[in-house]
Amino acid sequence: MDLIIAANWKMHKTTAETVDFCQALLQNESLFEGVKVLVCPPFTALPAASGVLRGSTIKLGAQNMHWEEQGAFTGEISASMLLELGVDYVIIGHSERRHLLGEDNRMIRLKVKTALESGLKPILCVGETETEREDDATEKVIKKQLVEALEGLTAENVHSLVVAYEPVWAIGTGKAASPADAETASSFIREVIRSIYGPKTESNVYIQYGGSVKADNIGSFAVLPSIHGALVGGASLEADSFGTLIQAARKAVIS
Ligand code: PGA
């Protein structure tokens, strides 16, 4: 299985900054062989990113979507609007949306379902808060997030699912999970998926680790048996250092 490394820019970068980043990243494209690289800009920068990245191996992701096809949903964006721009992936249920914007597992389930039915590959984010971890509730929380997000979906539906394990306490704090803890949580995610869909489906699901991933720690996550890549926030904002991070992951896996 390849690695899949995604840049989650959150609310950063104008259209002009996006064009500069994408052009700079493309300079190093040949060094990313064997790694699926994707860039997830804000909605407003998707058309520009799509224009620059067209024809390259670098894929485009969105940071959110609504589950309805169209209608009176002020401020929302549908799957077909994303597909029209050449978007392949969509981040769903990021902890910032869960905790700052009130997204719950029901909304996340509807989004995952619509994404899969529309041909978008969802990156479903799960992970515990610091308090939940201290209460020894990590597995319980992750299981509930997964089971409720996947309810009603068949093995066929989830063939292109990506799950990002992102402990909330590790996001943007500079305090990444230890590789051992990331592996324990990710192998538990695999166990839950296997118990619902069986081993064949489970083995096709990519799991990313996210939370303070940098060029100097990506290698220790990339080599873990249950993990195949990363969802990167802060360290994805500069094309050069993001390129270095991708190469560090590749090197760790090859060596
Ligand atoms: P971070 O963010 O790399 O800045 O910790 C990761 C994420 O929120 O996806």
Side-chain angles (χ1 to χ4, degrees), residues 2-9 21-22 25-26 28-40 53 56-61 88-89 123 206 208 228-230 232 236 239 242-247 249-250:
D2 289 344
L3 293 173
I4 176 165
I5 299 186
N8 174 16
W9 289 352
F21 178 104
C22 292
L25 193 66
L26 282 179
N28 289 323
E29 189 188 1
S30 61
L31 305 173
F32 305 155
E33 210 188 319
V35 182
K36 283 185 213 248
V37 177
L38 69 128
V39 176
C40 308
L53 298 175
S56 78
T57 55
I58 298 170
K59 302 289 181 200
L60 201 56
D88 271 315
Y89 291 83
I123 300 179
Y206 279 94
Q208 298 175 309
H228 295 87
V232 186
S236 73
F242 185 54
T244 306
L245 183 155
I246 297 163
Q247 289 173 68
R250 190 170 171 252

Side-chain angles (χ1 to χ4, degrees), residues 8 10 40-43 46 61-67 75-79 81-83 87 89-94 96-98 101 103 107-108 110-112 115 120 123 125:
N8 174 16
K10 312 189 180 188
C40 308
F43 289 135
L46 283 169
Q63 298 176 18
N64 182 35
M65 58 171 267
H66 196 270
W67 58 87
E76 295 293 331
I77 299 284
S78 74
M81 294 171 188
L82 297 176
L83 287 162
V87 170
Y89 291 83
V90 57
I91 299 172
I92 293 179
H94 189 280
E96 285 145 19
R97 298 201 59 83
R98 290 179 188 264
L101 295 158
E103 248 179 50
M107 294 156 84
I108 290 164
L110 293 168
K111 292 181 184 201
V112 169
L120 287 165
I123 300 179
C125 301

Side-chain angles (χ1 to χ4, degrees), residues 1-6 32-36 165 176-183 186 190 206-232 242 244-255:
M1 202 180 234
D2 289 344
L3 293 173
I4 176 165
I5 299 186
F32 305 155
E33 210 188 319
V35 182
K36 283 185 213 248
Y165 169 58
S178 69
D181 284 348
E183 173 59 24
S186 303
R190 293 205 169 277
Y206 279 94
I207 298 184
Q208 298 175 309
Y209 166 75
S212 298
V213 173
K214 307 269 182 290
D216 59 11
N217 65 14
I218 180 76
S220 58
F221 296 110
V223 296
L224 296 169
S226 298
I227 292 178
H228 295 87
L231 184 54
V232 186
F242 185 54
T244 306
L245 183 155
I246 297 163
Q247 289 173 68
R250 190 170 171 252
K251 217 163 117 200
V253 170
I254 293 169
S255 61

Side-chain angles (χ1 to χ4, degrees), residues 140-155:
K140 191 172 145 232
V141 169
I142 294 176
K143 185 170 182 182
K144 185 171 161 60
Q145 289 172 336
L146 277 173
V147 168
E148 294 189 8
L150 300 176
E151 198 186 305
L153 292 173
T154 62

